[in-house]
Amino acid sequence: MQPDVIDKIAWIHLAAGRILSTRSHDKDTYYLPGGKREPGETDVQTLVREIDEELGVTLNAATARHFGTFEAQAHGHRAGVRVRMTCYTADYAGTPAPSNEIAEVAWLSYSDRDRVAPVDQLIFDHLHHSACLA
């Protein structure tokens, strides 16, 4: 049985009024980079591992800062299944590039809001209202 709440950790990385997003192979929707924790992992451990796996960059765990937690209907799941996305900012080393299940890395603006998952739309709204996302 699938849980009613999917717990995910995501990286918020902004540059020039755009946000770094990813698209998985065989998907048409963009998601913020990150993923689900493995047993025993903290939020930051999950974040560092997932970003390395998906983008091939190394996050500096000491600089990780909680940005916010957002919850919405889980994209592609039955009604009532929600995703709770705990978001962090963090400094990094390397150049983000698609890896493993990631087919594409994209820099999105608020005008791309309809191309992202519902929970990401909430984050886009928050960033746009805070004048962080063009």
Side-chain angles (χ1 to χ4, degrees):
M1 183 82 179
Q2 187 178 38
D4 287 336
V5 177
I6 300 168
D7 179 36
K8 295 185 86 175
I9 309 298
W11 184 37
I12 301 288
H13 181 49
L14 296 158
R18 295 185 177 274
I19 190 165
L20 183 70
S21 296
T22 59
R23 184 183 57 78
S24 297
H25 293 284
D26 302 320
K27 304 283 184 183
D28 61 359
T29 301
Y30 289 86
Y31 299 87
L32 295 179
K36 299 177 194 169
R37 76 181 78 242
E38 292 182 354
E41 280 185 330
T42 66
D43 283 4
V44 173
Q45 289 168 333
T46 301
L47 186 69
V48 169
R49 177 184 52 77
E50 285 285 344
I51 298 310
D52 179 51
E53 290 174 3
E54 292 185 357
L55 301 175
V57 298
T58 303
L59 293 186
N60 180 341
T63 66
R65 298 290 176 262
H66 182 255
F67 174 82
T69 301
F70 303 83
E71 190 170 319
Q73 169 66 39
H75 181 258
H77 293 268
R78 67 173 166 76
V81 175
R82 301 186 63 77
V83 62
R84 180 178 304 123
M85 184 97 71
T86 305
C87 301
Y88 290 84
T89 59
D91 295 338
Y92 69 99
T95 302
S99 184
N100 291 324
E101 76 268 16
I102 303 303
E104 179 186 1
V105 172
W107 290 95
L108 304 181
S109 67
Y110 192 68
S111 65
D112 297 304
R113 184 183 182 276
D114 63 335
R115 301 171 65 195
V116 302
V119 72
D120 291 36
Q121 290 179 359
L122 295 177
I123 297 163
F124 273 46
D125 291 345
H126 177 78
L127 289 166
H128 184 68
H129 294 311
S130 303
C132 296
L133 189 62

